[in-house]
Amino acid sequence: MKLIVTDPGGQTHTLEATPGWRVMEVIKEAGLPMRADCGGCTACATCHVYVDDAWLGKLKPANEEECDLLADSYVQKPNSRLACQITMTKELDGLPVTISEDAT
Amino acid sequence: MNSVYTTDAIIIGAGPVGLFAVFELGLLDMKAALVDILPKVGGQCAELYPEKPIYDIPALPVVTGQELTDRLMEQIRPFEPKFFLSQMAESLTKLENGHWQLKTDMGEILEAPVIVIAAGGGSFTPKKPPIKEIEKFEGGGVYYAVRKMEKFRDKNILIVGGGDSALDWFLNLQPLAKNIALLHRRDEFKAAPDSVHKMREMVAAGNGKLIFGEVAELHGDAPAVSAVTIKTKDGEIIRHECDCVLPFFGLTMKLGPIADWGLNLEQNLIPVDTEKFQTNTPGIFSIGDINWYPGKLKLILSGFHEAALMARAAYDIVHAGKKFIFRYTTSSSDLQEKLGVK
Ligand SMILES: Cc1cc2nc3c(=O)[nH]c(=O)nc-3n(C[C@H](O)[C@H](O)[C@H](O)COP(=O)(O)OP(=O)(O)OC[C@H]3O[C@@H](n4cnc5c(N)ncnc54)[C@H](O)[C@@H]3O)c2cc1C
Ligand code: FES
């Protein structure tokens, strides 16, 4: 299963993702720049990513905590999500995400 | 000039691990002082997740971040730790007698033979909004915290943000201010409903202004601020006169001055040995999230273990030449006396 990540420098990496892992965990494990300070507790927004528009519909909608955190970000876009709230499943094989400024 | 506060161990960081270190040091007859940049104790537990449950503290099946902090405070009370809160541990120097002198950014001076760095993820520092040249205005017209309210008397204040800090300071500074306004990006606040209600009442009564939008630019003879340009929610550009801008966008953690203390650092963590949890500098220990050793896990329970072994090693420095006897709190009347239970 693949996760396609564009880092803040604009470079694209194809990562091997384990089903059940969160996108944040896959990115961190690959050593790409992502702070994820709170370890996935929806408390920090330092795992903020942009999800490719075509894939947005396949994700579970964000809960209230996630929406609140993203709304406070200065770099929020309509396709903003927290990478710690997206779990890799079959349907998400090949998901493209871009790491936001918040995460570095 | 401030007097010097002398103790046995100075702990930098009053997170859960720094707090528990007071207990372990205390059992071995060492007094401690704690320094933290936050106005409260508890570190990440109290600042980032006071209401979230923790499930992996031994013998506490579930406890919230704040409850854990409160319980630690109760546990260390017999040892009467001295707290230096709302201040940053800034510089560390070795004295001729081998002791360490620590200075804080509030001018406090502390001295002790042992330093314990329990700085966790680093010192909590305010998140800065991305406004052009904001650094130029810091300290003159832009403030990320209120240390003395008097400073803001008779000023034209603009508070930016929609969380608890923004709302609390709007309410607290309103009576002092000449004029006060609250600027937030949208008509939705992430603060205690009661504060939001009070703020709306004040605004309705004409005691303050509420604006929806964001700061686009700061004006003035830097570092002084004379006005800001605001881009409103509806896309309008307005000029707002004010001499103090207070952005409240939450906190992030940064290593800060500890990086300049000549310690070995690896990716902003402090390597230690796993016998004493000492750094490359004798007398300086490091425990909790900030340290690193092979196999390190950033868990509260690991930090507690590290505190116990650190205290054992610190004993040989503070009580040099004295023999160490290992005792249990269950059976030692000596320890029970220290805990005030006997
Ligand atoms: C959302 C979330 C959930 C978590 N859940 C768990 C869990 O379930 N179980 C678990 O074991 N762990 C959990 N953790 C991790 C746990 O909170 C940390 O391991 C723990 O807080 C580390 O404690 P500490 O005392 O080492 O550091 P911290 O709690 O980070 O405290 C360090 C303190 O030092 C202060 N400081 C740093 N530098 C300076 C300076 N120069 N001057 C003054 N003050 C300074 C900081 O302001 C801070 O208050 C969680 C963390 C988060 C964010
Ligand atoms: S890691 Fe903190 S919100 Fe995702």
Side-chain angles (χ1 to χ4, degrees):
Chain A
M1 183 180 293
K2 303 277 185 248
L3 177 70
I4 298 156
V5 181
T6 307
D7 67 26
Q11 218 184 330
T12 301
H13 311 257
T14 302
L15 308 181
E16 192 55 49
T18 312
W21 279 37
R22 312 184 204 194
V23 168
M24 175 273 278
E25 292 165 339
V26 178
I27 293 175
K28 284 208 66 146
E29 211 230 3
L32 295 179
M34 173 163 287
R35 294 180 53 174
D37 282 342
C38 79
C41 291
T42 12
C44 72
T46 54
C47 64
H48 180 174
V49 293
Y50 306 116
V51 173
D52 186 282
D53 287 327
W55 292 70
L56 275 177
K58 299 193 187 180
L59 305 186
K60 287 212 184 80
N63 64 14
E64 196 188 326
E65 248 183 337
E66 180 178 350
C67 292
D68 277 351
L69 269 180
L70 287 171
D72 280 344
S73 165
Y74 272 96
V75 291
Q76 188 193 19
K77 297 185 191 170
N79 60 342
S80 285
R81 289 298 303 262
L82 295 179
C84 69
Q85 300 304 307
I86 310 172
T87 305
M88 286 307 290
T89 53
K90 266 204 320 291
E91 301 77 62
L92 298 184
D93 188 4
L95 177 74
V97 300
T98 302
I99 301 176
S100 83
E101 269 171 64
D102 279 348
T104 53
Chain B
M1 193 171 137
N2 284 325
S3 59
V4 175
Y5 185 83
T6 309
T7 184
D8 295 325
I10 302 167
I11 304 171
I12 297 150
V17 177
L19 292 176
F20 192 64
V22 172
F23 184 82
E24 291 294 335
L25 289 162
L27 283 184
L28 304 185
D29 283 321
M30 290 172 274
K31 290 250 163 252
L34 296 113
V35 181
D36 205 301
I37 182 85
L38 291 180
K40 59 173 178 244
V41 300
Q44 296 175 42
C45 300
E47 179 61 34
L48 296 179
Y49 59 108
E51 282 158 26
K52 284 206 164 109
I54 310 171
Y55 299 101
D56 58 352
I57 304 296
L60 289 178
V62 52
V63 64
T64 66
Q66 190 56 47
E67 277 165 6
L68 181 79
T69 305
D70 294 345
R71 284 168 177 247
L72 284 165
M73 287 300 281
E74 183 187 336
Q75 195 168 22
I76 66 177
R77 191 173 307 126
F79 300 113
E80 298 171 343
K82 172 93 177 159
F83 290 98
F84 295 85
L85 298 179
S86 299
Q87 44 201 311
M88 169 95 91
E90 207 161 48
S91 68
L92 186 67
T93 35
K94 190 158 189 163
L95 302 172
E96 268 177 26
N97 65 0
H99 287 196
W100 296 98
Q101 184 182 71
L102 182 108
K103 287 194 182 139
T104 76
D105 65 345
M106 297 284 275
E108 297 282 357
I109 303 174
L110 291 78
E111 287 179 14
V114 164
I115 298 288
V116 182
I117 303 178
S123 98
F124 278 101
T125 36
K127 278 192 202 154
K128 292 181 187 182
I131 302 170
K132 209 173 59 196
E133 298 187 317
I134 191 164
E135 284 85 11
K136 266 179 37 190
F137 295 92
E138 286 168 5
V142 172
Y143 302 89
Y144 300 104
V146 178
R147 286 193 172 174
K148 288 210 176 77
M149 283 184 34
E150 266 312 304
K151 194 178 185 125
F152 298 96
R153 183 175 289 281
D154 299 327
K155 299 279 189 188
N156 284 319
I157 305 175
L158 177 68
I159 295 194
V160 192
D164 277 312
S165 301
L167 272 285
D168 287 351
W169 285 118
F170 178 87
L171 299 178
N172 287 325
L173 291 175
Q174 191 278 333
L176 291 182
K178 189 161 151 209
N179 288 301
I180 193 161
L182 177 66
L183 174 65
H184 182 42
R185 293 163 84 193
R186 60 215 146 94
D187 194 359
E188 247 172 74
F189 293 88
K190 250 177 36 184
D194 181 51
S195 312
V196 179
H197 180 71
K198 280 196 188 125
M199 178 274 294
R200 290 195 196 277
E201 274 184 349
M202 268 183 187
V203 171
N207 298 321
K209 218 170 151 179
L210 177 59
I211 311 168
F212 299 113
E214 51 193 279
V215 175
E217 209 180 325
L218 295 161
H219 307 282
D221 192 2
V225 170
S226 57
V228 299
T229 302
I230 294 174
K231 186 172 175 227
T232 68
K233 206 174 80 191
D234 311 320
E236 224 185 310
I237 304 289
I238 57 172
R239 193 181 160 93
H240 178 87
E241 309 287 325
C242 58
D243 38 31
C244 299
V245 178
L246 284 74
F248 293 105
F249 288 97
L251 302 170
T252 176
M253 298 187 91
K254 289 215 177 102
L255 183 58
I258 296 172
D260 307 323
W261 293 357
L263 297 167
N264 256 348
L265 286 181
E266 261 173 50
Q267 301 195 333
N268 278 344
L269 298 172
I270 306 175
V272 290
D273 68 78
T274 48
E275 177 194 346
K276 302 177 171 175
F277 296 93
Q278 191 163 241
T279 66
N280 62 327
T281 310
I284 305 186
F285 297 84
S286 179
I287 56 175
D289 275 15
I290 188 91
N291 76 10
W292 186 86
Y293 50 85
K296 168 74 183 182
L297 291 178
K298 287 189 187 183
L299 287 176
I300 297 166
L301 87 96
S302 311
F304 289 172
H305 158 80
E306 295 160 15
L309 271 66
M310 173 282 295
R312 166 65 193 94
Y315 181 91
D316 290 339
I317 297 177
V318 175
H319 301 298
K322 243 195 195 172
K323 220 172 142 187
F324 173 80
I325 316 164
F326 177 78
R327 290 188 179 125
Y328 287 124
T329 53
T330 330
S331 50
S332 157
S333 52
D334 178 46
L335 293 185
Q336 289 170 1
E337 217 165 279
K338 286 176 203 165
L339 292 169
V341 292
K342 192 132 202 187

